[in-house]
Amino acid sequence: MSSTSDKPGMEDGVHPFDVDTGVEAISEHRFTATTTDRWDALGGGANGGYLLAVALRALGEVMPLPDPVVVSAFFMRPGRHGPGEVEAEVVRAGRRLATGEAHLFQGDKEVVRLLATFADLGASEGRTLMLNEPPGLPPPEDSIDPLAGAPIPGLTIAERVDYRMAKSPGWSSGHPTGEGSNEFWMRFQGGREPDLLSLAFFVDAAAPAVLELGEVASTTVELSVHLRGHPAPGWLACRHSTRHVMGGFHEEDFEIWDSKGQLVAQSRQLALLP
Amino acid sequence: MSSTSDKPGMEDGVHPFDVDTGVEAISEHRFTATTTDRWDALGGGANGGYLLAVALRALGEVMPLPDPVVVSAFFMRPGRHGPGEVEAEVVRAGRRLATGEAHLFQGDKEVVRLLATFADLGASEGRTLMLNEPPGLPPPEDSIDPLAGAPIPGLTIAERVDYRMAKSPGWSSGHPTGEGSNEFWMRFQGGREPDLLSLAFFVDAAAPAVLELGEVASTTVELSVHLRGHPAPGWLACRHSTRHVMGGFHEEDFEIWDSKGQLVAQSRQLALLP
């Protein structure tokens, strides 16, 4: 277990994301997993998308098809750091689709429960039709690092993920734009390229869109992710938005487009304001 | 059990939706349910939203809080008509939120598995902020019934739900618009007003948006529904869209606004083309 916030990069050739989502089978349907403090989000505690990735990786070990295409995770308790276990089982295995369920436990308490359907995206066929455009961002090299001038203490996820934006978000200087949306680039530090598992992490790895509406924090209740294609190597172009805040709840929609301009992930979450 | 496609309206004062989603406890966590042929969708078979509503109603019987706020249902086999059972259990009960799981079985096969979080929307507090507009529809009385001239055989759901649109959808006359979106009104026939349970049905009760992209059918893999408020009585203004078709999969987004102009439900599904 490595729980220190050390320098990003490879460890014995393995990227921290792969180290920290690693699972080890202790029986046919049970895995050990160690959650580190290297993926903490705003407000402290392990990021929800990271916990989702740990549980989804264990589920992938038991599924008969390779690629998660839709995941819905329910977050029931704050994530901790340290040892945990994942129970994972196949619920239904068909020819084209297989559905499974996974539970992540920490200290005997269930933290995340998810359902997911897997397929083989390499074998999927059909036309591609996009009635939507990738984010209209300047190239990463002409963009700014929004955290460069003012790193946020405890936000360890930002020590392993690079962010680039056309300009600093309004909320970061105390002037929320009121628009509830932003576009930005993301990628892992250390050169690890994106894959389906990491897309399910990235959709929850940015500061919440609701910060541009003047809120200061948000807790995910449920996060649904559609994984639409294997991402090409390179930067990920992202767009997120919150359009409806009511009774303490809000949604956040998130899109990720790869370096070839293909939509590769789409997510929506329901979240609770403090 | 009533499985005939008879006249819509009340049965002993109970609306067919309430009759056909009815569940009866046979033990603390197990319920019987009878799926009728009165909610069949395009292509035959019980509509996914109807099956979701049956499972969610059983789950509501065991949950310690009254209102589902987010539901994610995975559809694993085509829905049948006839007797079935629902297993429902509380996974985590907190003060503000409680999460549960339900499985709908038909003929010993699991057809739908869902997770849902419940809250008390009556006790929820906070500002309302909408960065979105309700559908721009003419009033229902100035709209057309898109099915009036050409009822679709086997589409029994249309014998219990009223639809109104500004004009007939392009696909219905063999000329898909290519826009992948539509706006329309919906309500139950027979005067039953909407509630949270029926909103979770209505988000899947319209012809798929992908028909306007030239497709002829679509099968739901997963459906996530956010229930944002108790709907006011009256017609429901709806908007749906599909923007990304890739490798045989597509998403569909759906919004429902009540007669007071409030967003009351929002859903997204991942679906598979035949």
Side-chain angles (χ1 to χ4, degrees):
Chain A
M1 171 183 175
S2 172
S3 67
T4 52
S5 297
D6 50 14
K7 185 167 164 288
M10 299 295 178
E11 296 167 19
D12 299 329
V14 184
H15 189 270
F17 182 75
D18 301 302
V19 174
D20 294 355
T21 58
V23 295
E24 192 166 339
I26 50 177
S27 70
E28 198 183 346
H29 299 294
R30 218 166 164 94
F31 300 81
T32 55
T34 300
T35 310
T36 75
D37 64 0
R38 304 197 291 187
W39 309 93
D40 286 0
L42 279 176
N47 172 255
Y50 165 51
L51 298 176
L52 186 163
V54 172
L56 185 61
R57 183 160 168 188
L59 184 58
E61 295 286 317
V62 305
M63 298 302 293
L65 290 168
D67 302 323
V69 292
V70 53
V71 187
S72 171
F74 285 69
F75 297 86
M76 293 179 287
R77 293 180 173 85
R80 303 187 195 182
H81 308 131
E85 286 192 12
V86 184
E87 282 178 357
E89 65 160 16
V90 180
V91 177
R92 156 82 169 141
R95 190 176 52 84
R96 291 181 69 184
L97 300 174
T99 297
E101 176 162 345
H103 308 164
L104 171 64
F105 294 88
Q106 295 186 315
D108 294 333
K109 302 272 191 189
E110 188 174 345
V111 174
V112 178
R113 177 172 293 209
L114 64 79
L115 297 171
T117 295
F118 285 62
D120 181 353
L121 286 175
S124 69
E125 292 179 355
R127 62 176 177 160
T128 295
L129 190 60
M130 293 278 146
L131 302 175
N132 189 12
E133 297 287 331
L137 287 161
E141 57 273 21
D142 297 334
S143 302
I144 63 145
D145 176 353
L147 295 166
I152 298 175
L155 187 72
T156 60
I157 200 170
E159 296 167 25
R160 277 149 208 103
V161 174
D162 276 330
Y163 304 87
R164 294 289 183 276
M165 299 182 77
K167 54 185 171 56
S168 287
W171 62 266
S172 69
S173 55
H175 299 95
T177 61
E179 289 177 14
S181 62
N182 266 317
E183 296 183 349
F184 44 89
W185 298 102
M186 280 202 286
R187 70 173 180 189
F188 282 121
Q189 296 176 20
R192 185 195 187 279
E193 297 297 350
D195 55 9
L196 294 175
L197 185 71
S198 59
L199 293 179
F201 155 78
F202 279 120
V203 295
D204 194 43
V210 78
L211 299 190
E212 290 294 25
L213 298 176
E215 303 292 343
V216 295
S218 176
T219 305
T220 306
V221 178
E222 185 265 354
L223 173 59
S224 290
V225 192
H226 295 186
L227 297 154
R228 304 295 298 273
H230 291 286
W235 284 94
L236 300 167
C238 306
R239 171 190 287 139
H240 68 175
S241 71
T242 289
R243 296 183 303 157
H244 314 94
V245 180
M246 295 168 69
F249 290 97
H250 68 89
E251 94 287 3
E252 175 171 304
D253 288 355
F254 206 108
E255 294 169 13
I256 301 181
W257 301 71
D258 72 7
S259 61
K260 291 190 171 168
Q262 287 290 311
L263 179 91
V264 288
Q266 199 176 14
S267 75
R268 174 172 288 165
Q269 64 175 265
L270 185 72
L272 192 60
L273 297 171
Chain B
M1 172 185 176
S2 172
S3 66
T4 53
S5 296
D6 50 14
K7 184 168 163 288
M10 299 296 179
E11 296 166 16
D12 298 331
V14 183
H15 189 271
F17 182 75
D18 300 303
V19 174
D20 294 354
T21 58
V23 295
E24 192 166 339
I26 50 177
S27 70
E28 197 182 347
H29 298 295
R30 214 163 167 96
F31 300 81
T32 56
T34 299
T35 310
T36 74
D37 64 0
R38 304 198 291 187
W39 310 92
D40 286 0
L42 280 176
N47 171 257
Y50 165 51
L51 299 176
L52 186 163
V54 170
L56 186 60
R57 185 160 167 186
L59 184 57
E61 294 287 316
V62 304
M63 297 302 293
L65 290 168
D67 302 323
V69 293
V70 54
V71 187
S72 171
F74 285 70
F75 297 87
M76 293 179 286
R77 292 180 173 87
R80 302 187 194 182
H81 308 129
E85 286 193 11
V86 184
E87 282 179 358
E89 64 160 17
V90 180
V91 177
R92 158 80 169 142
R95 192 177 51 84
R96 291 180 71 183
L97 301 173
T99 297
E101 176 162 344
H103 307 164
L104 171 63
F105 294 89
Q106 295 186 313
D108 294 331
K109 301 273 191 188
E110 189 174 344
V111 174
V112 179
R113 178 172 292 208
L114 64 80
L115 296 171
T117 296
F118 285 62
D120 182 353
L121 286 175
S124 68
E125 291 178 357
R127 63 176 176 159
T128 295
L129 190 60
M130 293 278 146
L131 301 175
N132 188 12
E133 297 287 331
L137 287 161
E141 57 274 20
D142 297 333
S143 301
I144 62 145
D145 176 352
L147 294 166
I152 298 175
L155 187 72
T156 60
I157 201 170
E159 297 168 23
R160 275 148 211 105
V161 174
D162 277 329
Y163 303 88
R164 295 288 184 277
M165 298 182 79
K167 56 186 170 53
S168 287
W171 62 266
S172 70
S173 56
H175 299 95
T177 61
E179 289 177 14
S181 62
N182 266 317
E183 296 184 349
F184 44 88
W185 298 102
M186 279 201 286
R187 70 173 180 190
F188 281 122
Q189 295 177 20
R192 185 195 186 280
E193 297 297 351
D195 56 8
L196 293 176
L197 185 71
S198 59
L199 292 179
F201 155 78
F202 279 119
V203 295
D204 194 43
V210 79
L211 299 190
E212 291 294 24
L213 298 177
E215 302 292 343
V216 296
S218 175
T219 304
T220 306
V221 177
E222 186 264 354
L223 173 60
S224 290
V225 192
H226 295 187
L227 298 154
R228 304 295 299 271
H230 291 286
W235 284 94
L236 300 167
C238 305
R239 171 191 288 139
H240 68 175
S241 71
T242 289
R243 296 184 301 157
H244 314 94
V245 180
M246 293 168 70
F249 290 97
H250 67 90
E251 93 288 3
E252 175 172 304
D253 287 355
F254 206 108
E255 294 170 12
I256 301 182
W257 300 72
D258 73 5
S259 61
K260 291 189 171 168
Q262 288 289 311
L263 179 91
V264 289
Q266 199 177 13
S267 76
R268 175 172 289 166
Q269 63 176 265
L270 185 72
L272 192 60
L273 298 171

